[in-house]
Amino acid sequence: MQLTGQIFGWITTLLTFISFQCKEHKKLVVVNTLATASLCMSYMFLGAWSGMLMNLVAIVRNIAIYKRDCKFFSHSFWPYLFASLMGILGVLSWQGPMSLLVIAALIIGTLFLYSPKVQNLRKVTVLTAIMVIIYNVYFKVWGGVVNELIAMASAVIGIYRYRKTR
């Protein structure tokens, strides 16, 4: 189980790096959803239940974001609904104070992921990645630690690469 969890963590790492190099928002969401699904599997095999549940909601959230051009998913309440659901599931899957880190990170990430400004998402990723790194170290999700370090580096590269120049 440990090895399987770590393998999924490394798959997540690769997909996360690719996602932050996507210039278009929809492509970023698709690749990020694949990374999130892989991370769910990693958390499941490593017993990090709060992280797993938060990321299951994140998969559904990503699908809703991708489909937000449809009338059903175009309403502005969706990010708040997903953030609330994450908060409720976070309480139900509570594994101690460390759970707060992954709960807060996923809620913050959810609110920023709905912004059409990909640069804002890249910037908030630096903060949320630090929170998730601490959670992952606590639960010994080593692939997840590396994933978040690469997510931060990829976000910084994307911030620089797609910055507005005068």
Side-chain angles (χ1 to χ4, degrees), residues 25 28-29 61-62 65 68 109-115 121:
H25 192 261
L28 185 148
V29 172
R61 172 206 66 199
N62 289 359
I65 289 170
R68 73 175 163 193
T110 293
L111 297 175
F112 275 87
L113 192 58
Y114 267 83
S115 168
L121 176 59

Side-chain angles (χ1 to χ4, degrees), residues 57 76-88 110-111:
V57 174
S76 61
F77 69 83
W78 283 105
Y80 304 105
L81 178 69
F82 288 123
S84 298
L85 185 56
M86 287 176 175
I88 291 165
T110 293
L111 297 175

